Amino acid sequence: MSNTIGTKTPNAKVIGTRQSDILYTDRYAVRVVTVNTTKHIALIYAKKKNYFKLPGGGIKVDEDYSEAAAHKVREETEAVVSIRRSVGCVASIKKFRNNLHQISYVYVADVVDALGQPKLTEKELINGLTHK
């Protein structure tokens, strides 16, 4: 699978509209629909801003997307996963996050081993991230 950051992704779903007078910052990320043996999916709850998200997060330019996806799930849930497949790409405009243009590559993964407590970053703890 080619993982060249910044290339046009076919069939990307775009949420929001770019305004020509605003300079957006591109942020590349992965999101993972993580399925356990009882067919439940992992959701991360951000208490501070009252929203749910799929496990995942920002990725570095030189990272392999699927490897980054598995790594991010482990960081946020402490589960080891096997990436089943790529679902596609979602691009969103987030004015509330300093004019962010986020491009998220989405995967489906199966939980292989649920290890225990997640290792959340200080920022994630400040935002009140918990697991549902």
Side-chain angles (χ1 to χ4, degrees):
M1 177 185 309
S2 175
N3 287 333
T4 306
I5 298 273
T7 59
K8 188 91 169 158
T9 303
N11 303 318
K13 171 69 177 165
V14 179
I15 301 169
T17 304
R18 276 190 183 233
Q19 296 177 4
S20 60
D21 60 333
I22 296 176
L23 179 63
Y24 294 93
T25 302
D26 285 344
R27 178 179 190 257
Y28 296 90
V30 291
R31 295 287 170 216
V32 184
V33 179
T34 306
V35 184
N36 69 10
T37 56
T38 60
K39 305 296 183 207
H40 289 99
I41 64 167
L43 288 176
I44 309 297
Y45 178 64
K47 183 178 181 178
K48 186 175 180 180
K49 295 190 179 178
N50 191 30
Y51 69 92
F52 289 92
K53 73 179 196 88
L54 292 169
I59 57 176
K60 297 175 185 165
V61 173
D62 59 349
E63 281 186 277
D64 178 86
Y65 297 172
S66 60
E67 287 177 15
H71 176 76
K72 292 293 183 182
V73 170
R74 186 160 184 176
E75 275 182 356
E76 291 188 348
T77 69
E78 258 314 288
V80 175
V81 297
S82 173
I83 300 296
R84 189 186 316 169
R85 65 186 168 93
S86 170
V87 177
C89 178
V90 176
S92 59
I93 305 298
K94 299 182 179 186
K95 294 176 189 167
F96 62 90
R97 288 189 69 189
N98 299 316
N99 298 322
L100 187 69
H101 175 238
Q102 181 158 307
I103 301 97
S104 296
Y105 295 89
V106 184
Y107 291 86
V108 175
D110 297 306
V111 175
V112 176
D113 188 12
L115 299 173
Q117 294 299 312
K119 295 178 179 68
L120 299 175
T121 66
E122 185 176 336
K123 185 177 179 182
E124 290 168 335
L125 291 171
I126 289 169
N127 285 324
L129 265 64
T130 59
H131 301 82
K132 298 285 181 189

